[in-house]
Amino acid sequence: MNITKESIDALNAVVKVEVSAADYQDKVAQILQDYRKKADIPGFRKGHVPMGMIKKQYGKSIMIDEVNKLIQESLNKFLTEEKLDILGNPLPKIQDDFSWDADDYSFEFELGLAPEFEVNLDAKKKITQYNIVADKDLLDKEVENIQKRFGKLVSKEAVEEGDNITGTFVNEEKEINKKSTIELASIKGKVNQKKFIGAKVGDVIELKTKGLFDDDHKLMGALGLTHDEIHELEIPLTFTVEEINVTELAEVNQELFDKVFGPDVVKSEEELREKIKEDAEKQFQTQADQQLLNAVTEYLVENTNFDLPAEFLKKWLAVAGEKPMTPEQAAEEFEKSEKGLRYQLIEGKVLKDNELQINFEELKDFTKGFVKAQMAQYGQLNPEEKDLDDIVQRVLSNQDEAKRLQEQLVSKKLLDFYKENITFKVKEVTYEEFVKEVYK
């Protein structure tokens, strides 16, 4: 067997695999002997079927199968030994005059080669790193939310601002008949709110779904519909008032602190606010880190220039999936996936050049930390080490879960690396300001 590579350009090559009869004949003969021993053909004793008959019936298909296996094994070995970094998989070139009736064969495979490039982390235009702080307004709202959560409901005769109203939404055409409790503050617009003010138990209020709530997700919950069902939903509703309540806020005292955090963990309103601020900013940090990783990703994709073997990749995409694509479909798919492929190459380059690849022990430790955090949420603060190890083993035996955790660990390593090696423009913002700037 002879394998040679011809470079077309920096991103494309053709590998030629030449197979002679001597490369596969012994293996084919051995398999035919095994077939002969096991063949059960009427008129012949088992194991005594003439070899000519076995060859005639099975010889060609066995030979084709063995040649294909030999080509695949040899091609994979060649790519490994030559350290060829390819994109996609080798594509066999069509040979119009090819015939399996010959003894010697020649096959050609197109290769798309990964480009060589450098990743420059010295950003010319500084990337913004957000530091999200919990401001006084947020802390005030969170303290009030805690007071509401541990407050008590007081029944009322008529609806006023700040009340909770329980009733049934009805629309016969859409077969909506849903009992819900809503906060008057979540009703959007003064016109709609005025319809509720002064209403008593038994009153029927006429409404419209469009613009009824300040958040469409609240409309989903109130009507018991799915996201798709409420999309652009414009129908009339009736709401029959059944209960009117106001939440009497719990007092901010030691009893409240103990209910929220456990006995004597927090001993003053100042400590309560500090605890809320600490917990909130931990959550904000997770969002800020994800945004920073996204921003770096966008920057590197836009500012790391290299060519791809585009035509090869389009041909490969056309045949790589479960269903073949037309050239037009493959070109469209390439356009959609090109950005992701570019970042995969950049990410791989950063990981390799800076020795950031993860090993199994790191993945186990990361998974253990993840499991401990999950258990802590359910009050299991000091699990036995053996129990932890057993859970980690079960988690990592699930391929999908292991892959997800591995991706999270890679993202963490990259983020830590970027924070150490890129100079960012740090900007302190409140959470509302962060949302406006990032998700505008």
Side-chain angles (χ1 to χ4, degrees), residues 99-113:
S99 171
W100 283 108
D101 292 331
D103 290 327
D104 300 335
Y105 307 101
S106 178
F107 302 90
E108 289 185 342
F109 295 88
E110 295 179 68
L111 302 181
L113 305 177

Side-chain angles (χ1 to χ4, degrees), residues 9-181:
D9 54 39
L11 298 172
N12 295 274
V14 173
V15 170
K16 188 174 184 179
V17 183
E18 294 176 329
V19 181
S20 66
D23 295 319
Y24 62 84
Q25 277 181 339
D26 289 348
K27 183 66 175 177
V28 171
Q30 180 187 333
I31 295 173
L32 287 171
Q33 283 290 355
D34 290 341
Y35 269 55
R36 187 183 180 215
K37 290 176 186 177
K38 298 172 185 176
D40 190 4
I41 297 177
F44 298 96
R45 283 185 298 151
K46 193 171 184 178
H48 289 78
V49 179
M51 181 55 79
M53 183 177 289
I54 296 294
K55 281 185 178 180
K56 184 176 181 181
Q57 189 167 351
Y58 302 108
K60 191 167 189 177
S61 62
I62 290 172
M63 182 271 292
I64 293 172
D65 192 37
E66 287 306 307
V67 169
N68 281 323
K69 285 181 186 175
L70 186 62
I71 292 167
Q72 194 61 52
E73 290 169 3
S74 302
L75 185 56
N76 289 339
K77 184 180 178 183
F78 177 80
L79 295 176
T80 302
E81 289 177 348
E82 294 293 314
K83 297 180 180 178
L84 293 175
D85 191 3
I86 67 170
L87 302 178
N89 292 314
L91 286 177
K93 293 185 75 173
I94 303 300
Q95 300 179 51
D96 295 330
D97 58 348
F98 180 82
S99 171
W100 283 108
D101 292 331
D103 290 327
D104 300 335
Y105 307 101
S106 178
F107 302 90
E108 289 185 342
F109 295 88
E110 295 179 68
L111 302 181
L113 305 177
E116 293 186 6
F117 58 92
E118 295 300 322
V119 179
N120 184 4
L121 298 178
D122 185 16
K124 293 178 182 177
K125 183 181 178 183
K126 291 290 185 283
I127 300 166
T128 301
Q129 180 180 11
Y130 289 97
N131 177 28
I132 310 173
V133 295
D135 63 343
K136 183 179 180 300
D137 286 346
L138 184 141
L139 296 179
D140 289 344
K141 286 177 186 176
E142 286 305 309
V143 170
E144 186 176 332
N145 286 338
I146 290 173
Q147 288 180 275
K148 282 182 180 178
R149 192 164 22 124
F150 292 93
K152 64 179 181 179
L153 288 178
V154 178
S155 295
K156 297 184 64 177
E157 289 189 3
V159 177
E160 294 179 296
E161 288 185 9
D163 288 351
N164 302 317
I165 310 140
T166 299
T168 301
F169 286 102
V170 174
N171 176 282
E172 292 183 0
E173 183 184 350
K174 294 288 185 181
E175 298 181 349
I176 295 170
N177 192 307
K178 179 72 166 55
K179 184 172 181 176
S180 301
T181 297

